[in-house]
Amino acid sequence: MNSPTPTLDQTQDDLLERITPTGGERREILDPATGQLVGHAPVHGLDDLEAAVARAAAAQPAWAALGHERRSAVLLEAADAIDASAEALARILSREQGKPLNGPNARFEVGGASGWLRAAAATPLEAEVILDDGDVHAELHYRPIGVVGAIGPWNWPQMITVWQIGPALRMGNTVVVKPSEYTPLSVLALVEVLNTVLPAGVLEIVSGGREVGAALAAHPSIGKVMFTGSTSTGKAIIRSSADTVKRLTLELGGNDAGIVLPDVDPSAIAEGLFWGAFINTGQTCAALKRLYVHDDVYDAVVEALADVARAMPMGVGLDEQNVLGPLQNRQQFEIVDRLVEAAKRAGANVLVGGDPDRDGPGNFYPTTLVEVADHDLGLVQEEQFGPALPIVRYHDVDEAVALANSVDVGLGASVWSSDLVEARRVAARLEAGTVWINAHGAIHPMVPFGGAKQSGYGLEFGVEGLKALGVPQVING
């Protein structure tokens, strides 16, 4: 007699059971949409970190010795393992992080994790002949760093973890992952799936607090730290890493500006503007967080954007119809609420939203559009990291560019126009690591991504991302 096919809940529960600690300290992880228990995460300490680093260091020489071709083959098998567990991973992610299953959310993120891992495995990296003039033959090669520390965020926990570990493993490093305390289950589950394929010790995980992250950044056996998160934490990692002169890739906070030029078709760009700002309910480093709209099209653009915003359903992530979810944690809810309330007191006009149920279940903050006349308001100057978009009217492009460049971060930016030549001229004037035209936040595994100013340094993705996970070595002769 055949065994019954496991249900989605059974496969999800099986994966949660495999990552649930059987001893030691652990803590409850609650669903930010409902407050219900999702599972229990281990609380690892410094001794656990030491053991994980030791295992990764011991496994690294053999992993490096496999060579690029064999390592890539293993990573492709690991991507297959993600695909085989995709629905269970997505449901755990939805329950823990809050993002819905559908839209550019949980299922999208799991698919992105698999896809980026495949891209890291498939990206060629050949030795580069620097000089060959008959007297000197010089080649540039990249060798493994050793053990890489990967410290991830809570907004895209699975996909960003793969952004960190995929190129690191491909280049012959081993990795110790430290997930956010807010979303450890999503990353523990991902690592559990990957480790059904990877050799022992190649990928380790420690699920601890800030002291574990600080110790990882300072650890003498860690050769590089990759970090995605706030600028303030990035600065702390820089300080912690200084004594051991670690290599760093830091993707830090942003406050991305979008500039709408006067020649646009408002209805054609409205949905792109919406998802640029509100993907993952605004909880994205490279989301559109300040929108500057020319006076000639201001009213039409705002009306079209408001129509889109009102139509997008928000609710519990496991409900298939929703495309927006709660803020992942109460602290972030309070930040968004504080910034919007301060803007309202200062006379800003709330067009949509701005009236959360502060006593209801879940960290739901409604999609909010705010007309802002005072550019110095916190809602404009600070990264809100949530579903509240300030909209600023401008009269000439020079003014808009100056306002867009006026903050101390520069992760991304965008220009919206029917004239690509003019859009590119404006884009070249913006102080950001990536400037999109008629889109915002669109990324590709072969296109380098990184920040300017206090949004961090180092590049991820593609050939440049692989190079960043190796030590350059010139062989001369």
Side-chain angles (χ1 to χ4, degrees):
M1 180 177 178
N2 293 329
S3 299
T5 301
T7 67
L8 293 178
D9 286 340
Q10 285 174 333
T11 56
Q12 174 193 184
D13 291 345
D14 174 68
L15 188 48
L16 280 172
E17 184 177 354
R18 284 155 55 189
I19 64 173
T20 298
T22 56
E25 187 179 357
R26 65 181 194 172
R27 64 188 182 90
E28 293 184 339
I29 302 297
L30 304 180
D31 186 329
T34 65
Q36 296 175 346
L37 179 69
V38 180
H40 293 87
V43 180
H44 292 137
L46 298 182
D47 290 343
D48 299 300
L49 173 64
E50 288 294 336
V53 172
R55 289 191 296 268
Q60 193 273 327
W63 177 246
L66 290 179
H68 281 294
E69 185 176 348
R70 180 58 190 144
R71 288 196 301 270
S72 292
V74 174
L75 293 182
L76 291 175
E77 292 177 25
D80 289 341
I82 292 176
D83 291 341
S85 298
E87 187 64 16
L89 288 169
R91 295 176 78 84
I92 292 170
L93 174 63
S94 180
R95 293 175 62 199
E96 179 182 53
Q97 201 281 335
K99 64 184 64 183
L101 290 170
N102 291 322
N105 291 298
R107 289 177 177 133
F108 169 85
E109 178 170 348
V110 175
S114 169
W116 247 265
L117 194 57
R118 294 183 192 281
T123 301
L125 182 60
E126 305 294 337
E128 181 181 353
V129 177
I130 303 299
L131 180 62
D132 188 8
D133 63 1
D135 295 320
V136 176
H137 182 87
E139 293 182 350
L140 179 59
H141 298 254
Y142 289 86
R143 58 182 178 81
I145 296 169
V147 183
V148 171
I151 303 175
W154 49 259
N155 58 336
W156 296 90
Q158 292 179 349
M159 189 158 66
I160 290 179
T161 294
V162 168
W163 292 355
Q164 296 171 334
I165 68 177
L169 294 173
R170 157 66 194 281
M171 291 299 291
N173 306 293
T174 53
V175 184
V176 178
V177 173
K178 193 276 180 192
S180 167
E181 300 100 303
Y182 288 115
T183 52
L185 299 178
S186 299
V187 183
L188 284 160
L190 175 69
V191 170
E192 175 72 16
V193 168
L194 293 172
N195 278 338
T196 63
V197 173
L198 295 171
V202 166
L203 180 60
E204 294 284 334
I205 185 167
V206 285
S207 173
R210 291 186 178 183
E211 72 284 355
V212 172
L216 180 63
H219 200 288
S221 295
I222 298 291
K224 171 157 186 162
V225 171
M226 300 189 75
F227 171 72
T228 297
S230 70
T231 297
S232 59
T233 303
K235 291 176 179 178
I237 288 172
I238 293 170
R239 289 189 288 268
S240 296
S241 69
D243 285 345
T244 50
V245 196
K246 292 191 195 325
R247 288 160 174 79
L248 299 174
T249 295
L250 304 174
E251 195 262 87
L252 307 180
N255 192 356
D256 289 13
I259 298 177
V260 177
L261 300 185
D263 60 4
V264 299
D265 176 352
S267 62
I269 68 169
E271 190 163 339
L273 287 172
F274 177 85
W275 285 116
F278 295 104
I279 187 171
N280 197 27
T281 316
Q283 299 166 108
T284 298
C285 294
L288 173 58
K289 299 186 174 79
R290 298 173 289 147
L291 182 62
Y292 300 91
V293 183
H294 192 277
D295 188 62
D296 289 353
V297 291
Y298 182 88
D299 291 339
V301 167
V302 168
E303 181 180 0
L305 179 57
D307 287 343
V308 174
R310 293 187 188 100
M312 293 294 179
M314 175 183 287
V316 176
L318 294 182
D319 291 345
E320 296 279 352
Q321 76 274 12
N322 291 325
V323 294
L324 299 171
L327 289 162
Q328 199 285 323
N329 55 81
R330 197 65 183 182
Q331 179 181 5
Q332 197 59 46
F333 176 97
E334 291 171 354
I335 289 171
V336 176
D337 195 25
R338 169 179 60 81
L339 292 171
V340 173
E341 290 302 306
K344 288 160 68 173
R345 289 193 299 271
N349 180 33
V350 176
L351 298 164
V352 176
D355 56 346
D357 180 359
R358 297 177 182 85
D359 300 320
N363 300 324
F364 289 101
Y365 196 94
T367 306
T368 300
L369 302 176
V370 185
E371 290 185 300
V372 175
D374 182 358
H375 197 262
D376 292 330
L377 286 176
L379 185 60
V380 180
Q381 295 296 315
E382 299 180 37
E383 182 182 25
Q384 70 274 47
F385 216 70
L389 179 67
I391 308 173
V392 180
R393 185 191 299 261
Y394 76 90
H395 304 286
D396 66 81
V397 173
D398 289 345
E399 173 194 9
V401 170
L403 292 173
N405 289 339
S406 65
V407 299
D408 60 4
V409 289
L411 188 56
S414 58
V415 181
W416 303 75
S417 173
S418 298
D419 184 343
L420 291 181
V421 173
E422 178 60 19
R424 291 184 180 119
R425 286 196 193 103
V426 175
R429 300 171 62 191
L430 296 175
E431 298 168 354
T434 300
V435 183
W436 293 275
I437 294 175
N438 295 327
H440 197 110
I443 53 176
H444 188 282
M446 292 306 297
V447 178
F449 179 72
K453 299 194 279 191
Q454 292 192 36
S455 287
Y457 46 74
L459 290 172
E460 299 177 271
F461 309 163
V463 175
E464 296 301 321
L466 290 182
K467 290 178 178 179
L469 271 303
V471 177
Q473 181 181 56
V474 174
I475 297 178
N476 196 333

